[in-house]
Amino acid sequence: MLLSHDHHADNLDHVGRALLRTVPRVITTTSGSRRLGLAHAEPMVPWQETVLASPVRAPLRVIATPSRHGPPFSRLLVGENLGFAIQRPSESAVAVWMSGDSVYFKGLEQVARRLDVDIALLHLGAVRFGLTGPVKYTMDARDAARFIRLLEPRIAVPVHYEGWTHFSESHDRARVRLLEESEGVHHRVQWLPPGKPVEFPSPTPPLAH
């Protein structure tokens, strides 16, 4: 299990905590690995790598990536956060990258510079709290559009945008805003139906020269 952070119930509820005990490895933040109190909870920091290996599955490389759950200096309030990239060791591109509950910040720009991402899962919702007013704790659609242009994934999948009262940007509003972003954005975005598997075609290999 890749656990971006353990502080909030929208990331780790009671069922999720029970599930942690049933998996062989839990990869999370340094402070989260201590709080969970599990021998198989492994700490990672941004740009650290590990390999998931199994006798019955092909290995996968996991790269922890920068993620910041709020404005500068908000870590004392919201804690550590990570994104994760999943890569087949035989391939240079990242198969799937997840932003984690992150705002747009320079750490995400590092991701765009360092990783070639096929499918990106972007946490939206523009999380806000009454106590801190207009300050955002996750990206809104305009932030996502800016980042999609920078990252240029083949497919961008919005997640984390409905079901909690602290989301200030609805699914419908985010969808409209991303449709309005014509240049380099809307043709990459794919919204997934909840609870249903979706199969994406393999990327087309480049033509030989």
Side-chain angles (χ1 to χ4, degrees), residues 77-137:
L77 175 64
V78 296
E80 289 181 290
N81 198 44
L82 285 175
F84 292 107
I86 302 173
Q87 185 180 39
R88 299 180 184 93
S90 60
E91 298 178 3
S92 59
V94 167
V96 178
W97 172 75
M98 179 195 73
S99 68
D101 282 3
S102 183
V103 294
Y104 187 104
F105 76 118
K106 290 189 179 298
L108 292 191
E109 295 175 358
Q110 291 180 22
V111 172
R113 288 195 301 269
R114 295 178 63 162
L115 300 181
D116 176 14
V117 174
D118 185 42
I119 299 175
L121 308 182
L122 303 176
H123 290 215
L124 304 187
V127 167
R128 288 187 171 97
F129 300 100
L131 185 64
T132 51
V135 173
K136 290 182 297 188
Y137 291 83

Side-chain angles (χ1 to χ4, degrees), residues 146-186:
R146 178 184 176 193
F147 184 61
I148 290 168
R149 287 194 185 94
L150 193 65
L151 184 66
E152 295 185 325
R154 182 171 63 98
I155 297 169
V157 179
V159 298
H160 190 267
Y161 48 76
E162 60 185 357
W164 291 86
T165 56
H166 56 229
F167 294 149
S168 67
E169 183 179 62
S170 69
H171 172 201
D172 291 341
R173 189 173 184 185
R175 184 185 287 268
V176 168
R177 283 184 167 179
L178 287 173
L179 279 172
E180 292 172 348
E181 300 284 348
S182 57
E183 185 179 348
V185 175
H186 82 274

Side-chain angles (χ1 to χ4, degrees), residues 10-82:
D10 61 333
N11 268 73
L12 188 64
D13 59 13
H14 296 304
V15 175
R17 290 182 183 277
L19 182 63
L20 292 179
R21 302 182 182 280
T22 71
V23 300
R25 295 178 70 182
V26 177
I27 297 171
T28 190
T29 62
T30 301
S31 60
S33 68
R34 292 194 298 265
R35 273 188 302 273
L36 292 172
L38 300 173
H40 60 291
E42 305 172 27
M44 289 187 76
V45 297
W47 302 117
Q48 185 177 351
E49 300 182 13
T50 189
V51 174
L52 305 181
S54 165
V56 296
R57 294 187 178 94
L60 293 173
R61 179 181 291 113
V62 174
I63 306 166
T65 61
S67 184
R68 196 181 75 200
H69 194 15
F73 312 113
S74 61
R75 182 168 164 178
L76 288 177
L77 175 64
V78 296
E80 289 181 290
N81 198 44
L82 285 175

